DNA sequence: TCTGAAAATCGATCCCA
DNA sequence: TGGGATCGATTTTCAGA
């Protein structure tokens, strides 16, 4: 993991804004848009990657296309010793689990799970969650419809 | 919005798998990895985009780099008429709100919000949520630490 | 850190199998 | 659909300021 301390200027923000919207934008296109040479853009992008400011580039795939029509959030109460996130790490290993958050309050986790259908969810709870020691209880919230789902951050306009 | 009905074969799955891991992978590299001609890969990728199977390419940016250290989930009870997601659409317009899910049960929404700090969250609740008519109550869950956070789908190995 | 130029590589389109 | 060839565009490296 590289350093995070790094002063981003307005040009970096613009690059991040463009890349956040379309990660496949050419260096040449970015250069044209910002009125700079492509090589300068390349240097900055490389630096943003090295400094772990750009973490990765991913293609967002339509879940329906892969028949993953079910989305659920599950609150999990666990008997973890504070600071030792053993249960959290085990949860993170489950492929269908997209997110694992350690939440305040009931010494628990909130996880986001994508399965084919209700049967897939039951299956996951029985076979994957059921085998993790330390889980005391779960409370499941089913998503009927997703109105918005993106990872985009609000990028400052001035520093 | 294009059609979704489309039979994906094993090669498509492999392309999706590669793109999901690194959206900036060259057609040429994919072609080499799958032992095919670059032009064939290009055709398939274009088709996957046109059919809305690949929805978009985005760069995942480190929230800490933009000083967005606070992540929260908020349950929102709303008096929406069923099917008319007016409140949901208003919630989706808030830039700091990354996700809006219509959830089963308490005729409500679950939203995911990223702010700089606790003050930013209070500010958002007061100024943005506070101005949306139809919100009855909210319940906020603060994330202490995120163990896993990705959008990757489980891509089938056989069809 | 940017520019500009040069070389290697890639994207996109064509026709043919 | 996939393969091979082509041309134009892009990536990447390097020197200089």
């Amino acid at each position: 993991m590289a350093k995070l301390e790094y002063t981003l200027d307005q040009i970096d923000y613009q690059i991040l804004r463009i890349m956040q919207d379309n990660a496949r934008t050419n260096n040449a296109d970015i250069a044209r848009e910002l009125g700079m040479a492509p090589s300068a853009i390349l240097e900055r992008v490389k630096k943003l990657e090295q400094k772990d400011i750009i973490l990765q580039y991913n293609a967002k795939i339509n879940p329906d296309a892969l028949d993953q029509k079910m989305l659920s959030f599950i609150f999990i109460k666990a008997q973890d010793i504070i600071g030792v996130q053993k249960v959290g790490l085990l949860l993170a290993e489950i492929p269908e689990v997209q997110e694992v958050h350690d939440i305040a309050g009931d010494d628990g986790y909130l996880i986001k799970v994508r399965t084919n259908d209700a049967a897939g969810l039951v299956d996951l709870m029985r076979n994957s969650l059921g085998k993790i020691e330390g889980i005391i209880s779960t409370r499941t919230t089913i998503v009927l419809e997703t109105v918005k789902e993106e990872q985009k951050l609000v990028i400052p306009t001035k520093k």
Side-chain angles (χ1 to χ4, degrees), chain A:
Chain A
M1 187 78 89
K3 300 276 177 59
L4 261 185
E5 279 322 312
Y6 186 68
T7 311
L8 299 173
D9 63 13
Q10 212 51 38
I11 296 172
D12 290 316
Y13 284 146
Q14 285 185 274
I15 293 173
L16 291 177
R17 213 171 283 125
I18 293 168
M19 290 299 243
Q20 199 173 222
D21 279 327
N22 182 5
R24 300 210 89 185
T25 311
N26 294 330
N27 288 335
D29 282 340
I30 300 175
R32 270 188 286 272
E33 197 165 329
L34 303 188
M36 292 170 70
S39 53
I41 301 295
L42 180 66
E43 271 183 316
R44 279 173 177 267
V45 171
K46 291 285 176 205
K47 191 170 286 181
L48 290 169
E49 292 170 356
Q50 279 163 18
K51 301 284 180 184
D52 274 342
I53 293 164
I54 295 177
L55 296 175
Q56 55 180 84
Y57 303 98
N58 25 23
K60 186 174 172 185
I61 297 168
N62 193 331
D64 286 348
L66 298 182
D67 267 314
Q68 299 190 19
K69 304 215 166 110
M70 181 131 203
L71 177 63
S72 331
F73 288 87
I74 308 178
F75 282 89
I76 295 178
K77 279 199 190 177
Q79 46 180 215
D80 254 13
I81 301 145
I82 297 167
V84 185
Q85 299 187 322
K86 204 174 152 196
V87 171
L89 293 176
L90 291 172
L91 290 169
E93 284 176 9
I94 304 169
E96 291 85 358
V97 173
Q98 294 192 319
E99 303 185 15
V100 177
H101 305 282
D102 190 345
I103 58 176
D106 328 281
D107 43 84
Y109 297 95
L110 174 59
I111 69 174
K112 180 178 176 183
V113 177
R114 226 174 258 279
T115 53
N116 291 326
D117 47 28
L121 177 63
V122 171
D123 203 64
L124 180 134
M125 294 187 70
R126 196 168 296 162
N127 296 325
S128 299
L129 298 189
K131 281 176 183 155
I132 297 177
E133 282 183 74
I135 292 182
I136 298 170
S137 67
T138 64
R139 185 165 49 85
T140 303
T141 297
I142 304 294
V143 172
L144 298 177
E145 189 178 4
T146 293
V147 182
K148 180 182 188 176
E149 184 176 29
E150 44 185 48
Q151 294 258 41
K152 284 179 195 170
L153 302 180
V154 178
I155 297 175
T157 21
K158 284 217 174 178
K159 179 75 187 184

